[in-house]
Amino acid sequence: MGHNIKAGLMFGTLRYATNESWYTNPENQIIEFDTLYKKMKWQIFSIYVVPKTNDYLIADFSTEEKFQNFLDLITNRSIYQFNTPVAATDKIIT
């Protein structure tokens, strides 16, 4: 579950992500991520909790089909259906 630094400012609300009142609030469904070079907004398409696994760490897919299978896996795990289309041509953060 991410990390929490600077008195809860960075990822401080992440612990609420599995609360229905949090993930159904449209204001919480966008992640703002800024670097020195770019400001980005990312749409949440899946929130899930699993027992011990490391399949979410896979970051290198040899084909678009394998990446799409991974996207389908994590979308199907979601505790809420965000109805956000995601395709193998998209970039994601996890």
Side-chain angles (χ1 to χ4, degrees), residues 48 50-51 53-59 70 73-74 77 94:
Y48 60 93
V50 292
T53 184
N54 64 356
D55 57 7
Y56 66 93
L57 296 173
I58 300 167
F70 174 73
L73 172 73
I74 61 178
R77 282 183 178 164
T94 182

Side-chain angles (χ1 to χ4, degrees), residues 4-45:
N4 188 3
I5 61 172
K6 293 186 181 179
L9 295 178
M10 182 178 286
F11 301 112
T13 61
L14 188 58
R15 66 182 174 270
Y16 304 121
T18 57
N19 294 342
E20 184 175 4
S21 62
W22 190 93
Y23 60 74
T24 57
N25 181 344
E27 292 181 15
N28 295 331
Q29 296 176 10
I30 302 291
I31 297 170
E32 293 186 20
F33 183 78
D34 299 341
T35 69
L36 293 174
Y37 309 103
K38 193 172 185 179
K39 293 182 180 227
M40 296 172 275
K41 291 186 178 184
W42 298 79
Q43 175 70 47
I44 293 176
F45 69 94

